[in-house]
Every structure is written in structure tokens, then in C-alpha cells.
Amino acid sequence: MQISTSILNSNNREESIKKLNFTKTKYIHIDVMDGLFVEDTQFTIDEIKKINSISKKKLDIHLMVENPLAYINKCENLNIKYITFHIEVEKNINEIINKIKEIGYKVGVAIKPDTNINVLTPYLDKIDLILVMSVEPGKGGQQFIENTIDKVKELRKIIDNNKYKVQIEVDGGINNEIIQKIKEANISVVGSYITKSDNYKEQINKLL
Ligand code: DX5
Ligand code: ZN
């Protein structure tokens, strides 16, 4: 299991990045919000560039926005591993996938807790990652939704049976106990559990 640390709920994001540089977190998870797809507004492109300049870890960008293309176009030439957008935006899905590939990043598609995993089927041979939301998108520090566990198991079967090269990432409400229930996933996004603690290193080690 790899850890992608969400800095959304950190009180001092720059300080958090500097601390995370010395931990075993694989990625820094950036929750981009446009005030439309979700209520909140978070992370301007300038903030992302600033984080990019401080971070020794690759960025894992989670776009909770109505118009992913507008953001993707501004993310060129950064130390990004994945750009993930929501399937619920419904429009231009193939165009968005191609654009992310074109600028050299891996493609993630996210689904909200109430979205059926079947909507992913047409894209499974074109994408690198599925982000399964285990809370409603929009805020950190929420409680993990238990039916995510079955969703992850189901996806694991579909991926393995068809030999798709897709990673499963789970996002929201994860701590050292919940992580034991989603072992079929490849990456866990963990926010508050890490950033609200005094010792990031120790806290991350408890997840691994
Ligand atoms: C929720 C975000 C998550 C969240 C994770 O909209 O996508 O990445 O910040 O943080 P915790 O671990 O606090 O739920
Ligand atoms: Zn997220």
C-alpha cells in the first residue's frame, strides 16, 4: 500500500510539505475545488506551483471541478504523477483523458460514493488509476463510508480478471484501522490522520 498525504486540512501547508519530504509518503495529494463541483474553493495554480517547488515528492492532483480541462492546461511541466478528475462531470471524458496523457501525466478517474462503478467500464483500458471516494467530496476530516470496502473488492476483481493496468486509490476518512479493510487498494489518501498529528513520520509508519 502506498500513501498519498492530503494537505487539505493542514494548518500550515508549506510546513507540512517540508515535514512530509522526510517521511515514507509516496505522494502529496492536492484537492483542487472550484466552488461549483463542490462548495469550497481550494488551491490556486500558483499555490500548486509553490507546493511543487517545495515538495520532494510527486504530486497527486485530485480535481473536484466542473471543467477539468481549464486546470489541466495550467499544470504542464510540474512534478506530477497523477491528475484525477471526476467521471460525474460527464462531458468530454475522452478529451480530458487524452489531454492529461499529452502533457505527460498518468490519468485518474474519480467516483463519488453514490456513483455506480459500471460507469467506469468504457474507460478502464485507457486510464491508470481509479479514485474511489470514501466520503462525499468537498471536505477533509469526514467519516469513512463503509460500503467503499465492497466497492474496492469488486473493482479489484474486475481489474484482475481483465488484466487492466489500473491502480485503485481510496480517498477520505482513512486511519490506521480503516486502512486494514481496504487492502485490495494500491494507494490510500490520508489527510487529517497525518496532518493533525505531532509526528508525521510515526503516524505514516503506523499505516504501512
Ligand atoms: C475530500 C478530499 C480528501 C480529503 C482527505 O474531498 O478529496 O482528499 O481531504 O482527508 P481526510 O483524510 O481528512 O478525510
Ligand atoms: Zn482528495
Side-chain angles (χ1 to χ4, degrees):
M1 179 74 78
Q2 294 178 332
I3 304 300
S4 184
T5 303
S6 162
I7 55 165
L8 181 65
N9 265 4
S10 155
N11 295 329
N12 184 339
R13 288 167 173 173
E14 287 189 29
E15 204 53 46
S16 290
I17 300 289
K18 287 178 192 158
K19 287 199 242 172
L20 288 165
N21 281 338
F22 298 98
T23 69
K24 287 184 181 154
T25 194
K26 180 79 179 170
Y27 306 112
I28 305 293
H29 183 87
I30 307 289
D31 288 303
V32 183
M33 308 182 187
D34 64 351
L36 297 167
F37 188 81
V38 291
E39 239 174 70
D40 219 342
T41 312
Q42 288 293 341
F43 294 100
T44 62
I45 292 294
D46 284 343
E47 280 175 287
I48 295 174
K49 286 186 178 160
K50 175 82 187 170
I51 290 164
N52 185 74
S53 71
I54 304 171
S55 178
K56 290 189 168 58
K57 310 283 181 170
K58 280 191 183 261
L59 307 183
D60 167 34
I61 308 278
H62 178 191
L63 296 178
M64 286 170 272
V65 303
E66 288 286 356
N67 183 5
L69 285 171
Y71 290 80
I72 294 161
N73 280 324
K74 295 179 188 147
C75 285
E76 276 187 74
N77 302 317
L78 298 178
N79 191 24
I80 292 171
K81 176 79 178 192
Y82 297 103
I83 295 189
T84 298
F85 67 97
H86 273 264
I87 193 96
E88 293 88 2
V89 299
E90 285 177 357
K91 280 176 288 172
N92 311 328
I93 304 290
N94 282 312
E95 192 187 345
I96 300 169
I97 292 173
N98 290 337
K99 183 71 203 180
I100 298 170
K101 286 185 184 171
E102 196 185 301
I103 59 171
Y105 305 135
K106 301 272 182 202
V107 180
V109 174
I111 52 169
K112 297 208 277 187
D114 290 337
T115 302
N116 194 302
I117 57 174
N118 293 339
V119 298
L120 297 166
T121 311
Y123 309 106
L124 290 177
D125 59 349
K126 303 184 179 84
I127 64 175
D128 304 290
L129 174 112
I130 298 167
L131 184 155
V132 182
M133 290 287 323
S134 42
V135 298
E136 284 301 330
K139 286 190 169 45
Q142 303 182 75
Q143 205 185 339
F144 181 87
I145 299 171
E146 292 283 328
N147 72 11
T148 313
I149 299 166
D150 289 340
K151 241 182 184 179
V152 170
K153 288 197 165 92
E154 187 74 13
L155 276 170
R156 172 51 60 211
K157 270 191 220 153
I158 296 170
I159 290 169
D160 289 353
N161 289 345
N162 295 283
K163 299 195 169 66
Y164 291 125
K165 293 193 188 74
V166 183
Q167 306 282 302
I168 302 174
E169 180 174 52
V170 183
D171 182 9
I174 300 176
N175 57 32
N176 61 326
E177 284 166 13
I178 303 277
I179 204 165
Q180 299 302 326
K181 302 183 186 181
I182 47 168
K183 287 193 167 155
E184 294 84 0
N186 307 96
I187 307 171
S188 286
V189 177
V190 184
S192 313
Y193 179 77
I194 296 168
T195 59
K196 297 288 179 199
S197 79
D198 296 333
N199 190 329
Y200 287 16
K201 244 189 198 172
E202 259 179 29
Q203 203 77 337
I204 289 171
N205 287 344
K206 282 191 229 163
L207 295 163
L208 297 169

